[in-house]
Amino acid sequence: MNTTSFLHAAEREIINGLLETGTSRRKSEEQLFNRFAYFINEGMHKQGLLQEQAFDVYADTVLSAIEKIRNGSFEGRSSLKTWMYQIFHNKTVDLLRKTSTNKYSVNRTLSITDMLTQLSDPSKSVVQHMAEQTDWEALRQKLTQIGDNCQQMLLQWADGCSDKEIAETMGYKTADVVKTSRLRCLEKLRQLYKPTNQQ
Amino acid sequence: MIDDKMQYIDDFFEGRMSGDEVSRFEEKINSDPSFAADVAFYLSSKQVARELAAEEKKKRFKELYTSTNGHHVEVKTGKVRQIRYAMYSALAAAVITAIVWMAIYRNDSPTDYANRYIKDHHSMISVTMGKEGEIQKAADLYNKGQYTAALTAFENIISKDSTLFYPLEYAGLAALRIPDYEKALRYFSRLEKFHAYSNPAVILQAITLMKRNQHGDKQEAKALLKRVADQDLDGKEDAVDLLKKMD
């Protein structure tokens, strides 16, 4: 990531913190949220959003920014503020468009599309077709029932943490131990989910 | 006990396979539906977990926002760090002075300012997932830099329904990028009649005139920018900034 010329020292520090693990990362996530939290007021006053809507749009902006920073898509070609504001603006436009055309769906479905990039097109469509059969609500409910440790481990894994990082934050000896435990947790989730899914 | 299949799937998605192994993995997906279902389960579980992780963070942000009553919290820094920041600030101030000096003596034209504005704000246009397939395709053309094709696509959409806000804005932007100034001005002027939450029509008319920069355009653009600033219209901050630069 080339985060050189346009970044303020404090912004660089936040970005470096986001690339770390545990407390440092958490602290940096909160610093990032605080840094541009005034966008929420802008969303309310300039775009006429309700406070709740403006908060949601801004929180989604921060989450999206964190993901992009961690996966290296933020190249630092503009200031963090300009980049974040562009994401915020796009999300606001999306929300306004959805609201004005009554497309605001409460029961939205999830998609695994962005995780399929490693597969070739034929395999991708087979897996995508299978994933369309997923009962998202049931799977989500089972995930909250597999125990705190398992849940935390899977959440951190899904949030982009490596097994080594999970080992550090959750106090496991090695990344290998985490990998074994994580796969056990997935297996446990599958066993819990299966009966519901087969009804 | 860990299912070998789960380990096998994990190895693939964590990038622990060689080229041959990857090919065999993909063949298995295509020939074994039960295996494909396992892969789908693995990814669906990750997606649901990702969603829950995001919700947890949002909860934390909510607490943070509520605790500060919506006010921005300055993060206090240590003394050494403050000195470092002061040094950076001094260096930054020197660089900024140099940039300002260069900007003054470079004497940028309204066209330069307009191009910079367009680059900063409209290099890409927002594409929404959903049923708006036609708008999405037209926006894709715009984002690929195919402005003439994008304009035709947006005009097709407008011809079917002239009450749509974004196709009109985007048609104007595509015309501006071509550039077809007359058309851009026509679309932005039509856009101005919409009562939308956020309507950049006036600042976009000003930007079009600045980019064209023919006799009288600069004055007319400044009048429009002043209107944006005085009436607190969409793009007020930029309008104030552009007015200062063009004084």
Side-chain angles (χ1 to χ4, degrees), chain A residues 13 34 97 108 120 123 190, chain B residues 3 26 51 72 85 128:
Chain A
E13 194 168 331
N34 276 336
R97 196 181 292 166
R108 67 200 179 85
S120 63
S123 318
R190 181 159 66 167
Chain B
D3 187 331
E26 297 228 15
E51 194 72 8
H72 171 58
Y85 286 162
T128 314

Side-chain angles (χ1 to χ4, degrees), chain B residues 9-222:
Chain B
I9 296 166
D10 193 61
D11 284 345
F12 174 82
F13 286 102
E14 295 295 321
R16 288 188 290 258
M17 280 189 186
S18 68
D20 285 351
E21 286 170 331
V22 166
S23 305
R24 278 198 294 278
F25 182 87
E26 297 228 15
E27 275 166 29
K28 197 164 168 61
I29 288 178
N30 294 313
S31 60
D32 181 351
S34 136
F35 179 69
D38 288 334
V39 174
F41 171 79
Y42 174 93
L43 293 173
S44 301
S45 303
K46 190 168 188 178
Q47 181 57 37
V48 168
R50 189 196 273 185
E51 194 72 8
L52 273 184
E55 278 171 27
E56 276 192 2
K57 277 186 201 166
K58 268 182 142 177
K59 257 187 221 162
R60 241 169 60 213
F61 293 155
K62 186 84 184 176
E63 282 164 17
L64 215 62
Y65 184 66
T66 313
S67 71
T68 58
N69 201 20
H71 292 297
H72 171 58
V73 178
E74 280 292 340
V75 181
K76 300 217 187 257
T77 52
K79 202 169 183 181
V80 172
R81 212 171 285 160
Q82 281 175 7
I83 292 168
R84 217 171 59 202
Y85 286 162
M87 282 166 61
Y88 286 143
S89 304
L91 188 65
V95 172
I96 289 166
T97 310
I99 292 169
V100 169
W101 186 86
M102 279 168 67
I104 291 167
Y105 289 93
R106 231 173 58 194
N107 209 7
D108 280 345
S109 70
T111 305
D112 295 325
Y113 295 132
N115 286 337
R116 227 167 286 153
Y117 176 89
I118 295 164
K119 187 171 169 253
D120 287 349
H121 297 272
H122 302 291
S123 294
M124 304 283 276
I125 53 180
S126 166
V127 180
T128 314
M129 303 302 286
K131 290 176 188 169
E132 295 168 314
E134 270 188 289
I135 300 178
Q136 201 169 315
K137 277 180 196 160
D140 284 343
L141 289 170
Y142 180 99
N143 291 336
K144 284 179 194 159
Q146 297 170 18
Y147 303 121
T148 308
L151 177 60
T152 310
F154 282 125
E155 284 178 333
N156 277 336
I157 298 167
I158 296 165
S159 69
K160 286 178 213 157
D161 186 352
S162 60
T163 62
L164 295 171
F165 182 85
Y166 288 104
L168 212 55
E169 178 187 347
Y170 296 159
L173 285 170
L176 179 58
R177 301 300 292 266
I178 289 172
D180 181 339
Y181 298 117
E182 291 305 318
K183 216 170 221 184
L185 286 170
R186 257 200 322 272
Y187 281 125
F188 293 144
S189 156
R190 275 172 68 182
L191 192 71
E192 200 185 333
K193 297 187 179 88
F194 280 71
H195 296 285
Y197 284 121
S198 165
N199 191 339
V202 182
I203 192 163
L204 286 173
Q205 288 176 65
I207 294 295
T208 308
L209 292 167
M210 285 165 61
K211 188 169 162 64
R212 186 170 68 177
N213 200 22
Q214 285 176 2
H215 181 67
D217 280 351
K218 185 177 170 184
Q219 286 317 310
E220 207 180 324
K222 281 172 83 173

Side-chain angles (χ1 to χ4, degrees), chain A residues 142-158 166 170 172 180-189 192, chain B residues 49:
Chain A
K142 299 301 173 192
L143 180 59
T144 60
Q145 293 171 0
I146 56 169
D148 282 350
N149 255 10
C150 264
Q151 195 184 322
Q152 271 318 306
M153 191 175 278
L154 292 182
L155 258 59
Q156 288 199 34
W157 164 65
I166 299 173
M170 291 187 73
Y172 285 84
T180 311
S181 309
R182 178 169 57 75
L183 292 174
R184 273 199 191 119
C185 292
L186 267 176
E187 192 52 49
K188 191 175 171 185
L189 177 62
L192 274 171

Side-chain angles (χ1 to χ4, degrees), chain A residues 41-60:
Chain A
N41 282 338
E42 289 211 12
M44 285 158 63
H45 299 133
K46 279 191 175 174
Q47 317 284 357
L49 299 179
L50 300 171
Q51 189 180 31
E52 197 62 25
Q53 288 176 316
F55 172 83
D56 275 343
V57 171
Y58 178 64
D60 284 341

